[in-house]
Amino acid sequence: MDVRQSVLDRYSEGAQQRVEALCCPVDYDARLLEAIPDEILERDYGCGDPSRYVREGDTVLDLGAGGGKICYMAAQLVGPGGFVIGVDMNDDMLALARRHQGDMGKKLGGNRVDFRKGYIQDLALDVGAMERFLAEHPVNDAAGYTRLHDWQAAQRREQPLIADASVDLVISNCVLNLVPDADKTQLVREVFRVLRPGGRVAISDIVSDEPIPEHLKNDPALWSGCISGAFQEEAFLEAFREAGFVAVAYDKWDAAPWQVIEGIEFRSVTLTATKPEATPCLDYGHAVMYRGPFSEVSDDEGHVYPRGARIAVCERSYRLLTEGPYADQFIGFAPRNPGEPRTFCAPAGTRRPAAETKSPLAPTCDSEGSCCC
Ligand SMILES: C[S@@+](CC[C@H](N)C(=O)[O-])C[C@H]1O[C@@H](n2cnc3c(N)ncnc32)[C@H](O)[C@@H]1O
C-alpha cells in the first residue's frame, strides 16, 4: 500500500471511531471546547494548539481540518467579523466536521466556518467541484483527459478553492507530516500564496531530530501515524524561509519526544512565520537598535543588527521590527525631520547618526547654549 492510500484509510477509520495510536495529549483552552460536540472532541488527532494564534476578525485557513475541532475553536475567537475555512481531503472527516455545522452556527450566533474538500499542497484545486465534474464527464480516453485538464485550469483561474492573498492566518494541527515529501515544497508555496501580505502562519506538527531513513519512510503505518513523513527540525524552518517567509521561529518546542523510533526523536512543535508586506522599501530616515543580549543578529532578509547600534532601515522594515513579531527585540527611532521618501539603498549595517533620530521632545541647542524645541 502506498503512503497516500494509507493516510486516506487511516483517517477514514479515525473519523468513524477514536483511534488511540493517533492521539497526542494537548492542553487546549477548556472554555473553547465547551461548545464542541463530544464526537468531534474524541476524534481529535492534533499534536498542538494553533488556535492560540487566532485574533478577532481574522480570516483563518486550517490545513487538514479533520473533524473540525480547531476550526470550531477558531470560529469562537474570530468573532462575527471573522471567518474560518477548513480544508481536508477525506470525505469521512469532512462529513464529521459538517454534521455539526448547523448546531455550531446556532451556538456561536452565526455560521462562520466552511469545510472544503481539497489537497493542502494544491489549494487552488476545488476537489469537490472536480468530483462533480467527473461524475458528469468521466475520463475514459485522451479526449476526456484533455477536457478534465482544461476544466481544472479554468477552475483554478476563475474559482480557486482558496484565492491568492485572501487569508490572515494559516493554521494546521499535525498534518504537514502526512503530505508526500515530493509535494512539501509546493505545500509551503501554497501557504505563501494564499496569505495576504503581513499574514501569519502557526503550524503545530511533529518534527524529527535526525533525517529519517528510507525504510521508515516506506512504512505506511508509520507514515499515516504522523511519524515518518515528519520534517527534520532544521529543514522545517528552512522550508518556510525559502518560500519567502520572515520571522520564522519555533514558538513551541516539546522537550520530551512524543515517540522515539530507532533512536530518532519525534516531538511536537509549533512553527510561526510572517509573510512580508508587499510595500516598497522607502527611506524616510528611520532607525532601529537591537537590544541584545547577543552581540549581533541578522534577519531573514539579510540585514545585520549589532547590539546597541542605531541601524538605518526603510519604513517597511521599521514597522516589521518594531510592531511585528520581533517587536520586543528592537527599539525604534522615528526620523526627527521626515523628508521626502527615497528608495532605500544603504548597505546592510549602515548606522543612522543619532542627530537624525533624536526624540522630537529633546531641545536642540547651539554651541552658545541657546536652545529651541
Ligand atoms: C492527524 S489528522 C489531524 C486532524 C485535525 N487537524 C485535528 O487536529 O484533529 C490529519 C488530517 O489531515 C488530513 N490530510 C492529510 N493529508 C492531507 C492532504 N494532503 N490534503 C488535505 N488533507 C490532508 C487527513 O485527512 C486528516 O483529516
Side-chain angles (χ1 to χ4, degrees), residues 108-170:
L108 303 184
N111 189 2
R112 285 173 224 146
V113 187
D114 190 25
F115 294 102
R116 301 180 188 172
K117 184 167 183 180
Y119 300 110
I120 61 172
Q121 60 271 44
D122 186 2
L123 290 166
L125 182 64
D126 183 336
V127 176
M130 183 174 72
E131 286 178 337
R132 291 190 289 280
F133 176 84
L134 280 169
E136 284 178 26
H137 309 279
V139 175
N140 300 314
D141 52 22
Y145 174 78
T146 305
R147 192 173 49 220
L148 173 64
H149 196 263
D150 291 348
W151 179 88
Q152 283 182 337
Q155 182 272 305
R156 286 168 194 279
R157 200 174 49 244
E158 289 155 22
Q159 289 179 305
L161 186 74
I162 311 291
D164 293 1
S166 59
V167 171
D168 298 302
L169 172 67
V170 172

Side-chain angles (χ1 to χ4, degrees), residues 13-24 28 33 36-46 67-69 93 96 99-100:
E13 186 196 348
Q16 323 284 346
Q17 61 191 19
R18 181 175 175 83
V19 177
E20 220 46 64
L22 298 177
C23 300
C24 179
Y28 293 104
L33 300 182
I36 301 177
D38 286 344
E39 73 163 355
I40 291 181
L41 295 182
E42 71 188 23
R43 291 163 214 180
D44 156 29
Y45 305 115
K69 174 168 140 179
M93 280 294 182
L96 170 62
R99 195 149 61 230
H100 297 280

Side-chain angles (χ1 to χ4, degrees), residues 7 11 28 43-46 62-67 70 87-90 93 118-121 173-175 178-179 226:
V7 172
Y11 291 97
Y28 293 104
R43 291 163 214 180
D44 156 29
Y45 305 115
D62 182 13
L63 305 177
I70 297 286
V87 170
D88 206 287
M89 65 178 186
N90 186 300
M93 280 294 182
Y119 300 110
I120 61 172
Q121 60 271 44
N173 200 359
C174 221
V175 182
L178 297 169
V179 172
C226 295

